[in-house]
Amino acid sequence: MRVDVFTLVPHAFAWLTEQRPIAGVLGGELDLRLFNYRDSSPLKAGQVDDEPYGGGAGMVLRVDVVAAALDAVYGGPPAHRVIALTPKGRLLTQPVVEELAEEDTLTLLSSRFEGFDERIVQHLSGDALSIGPYVLSNGDLPAMVLLDAVARRLPGALAEGSGELESFSPELGGGLEYPHYTRPPEFRGWTVPDVLLSGDHARIDAWRREHVR
Ligand SMILES: C[S@@+](CC[C@H](N)C(=O)[O-])C[C@H]1O[C@@H](n2cnc3c(N)ncnc32)[C@H](O)[C@@H]1O
């Protein structure tokens, strides 16, 4: 899978690329490319945003700048899915993550300040996603959240079996995973349920299924 991220701060993604699961699939199942809108801006001095028509505070990412960035990389409108990250988009849920993980190529558009000129969302992207009902300062954290969630669904990202029985998975009926415990079996009087120490895998399995929420 290839993911292209358009941003004003490509270096912000350095941390993410050093961490698993991204680090484990980069150069293999995942090809990640980072593009700076400024590098292809048709405006002077790499300008990328402008004052909103109608007045008001903040700056708006310009449609001609994003179009130029897409043209510079793809030579025209890309055939694959282009996603604008915006609090006004549809919510990024686990089913949406699974859907995205099936794509061969994705383009993520990040903005900042007041956000996108609406024509970017309407005409240059085919999808708009929000990572939650709150406002962040820019789309880079949302892009990283999406990347992490999608990357861990790619083959080889996780240890065998560890990505199947998870919160929101079909195997758990979309519910929240059962509780986990590890050593010590007792700490400050807080004990581990006896069944988990029993070695009886049928009972453990039944207990876990009962504790899916
Ligand atoms: C300060 S926000 C703009 C908020 C916008 N003026 C509004 O009221 O909806 C700047 C940028 O951060 C990103 N962003 C902020 N919150 C987000 C969220 N919950 N999900 C996805 N992207 C978000 C988007 O790229 C957005 O254009």
Side-chain angles (χ1 to χ4, degrees), residues 122-145:
Q122 281 182 355
H123 303 292
L124 297 180
S125 67
D127 201 355
L129 288 175
S130 163
I131 64 159
Y134 41 78
V135 177
L136 298 167
S137 305
N138 59 61
D140 298 305
L141 284 172
M144 289 188 229
V145 166

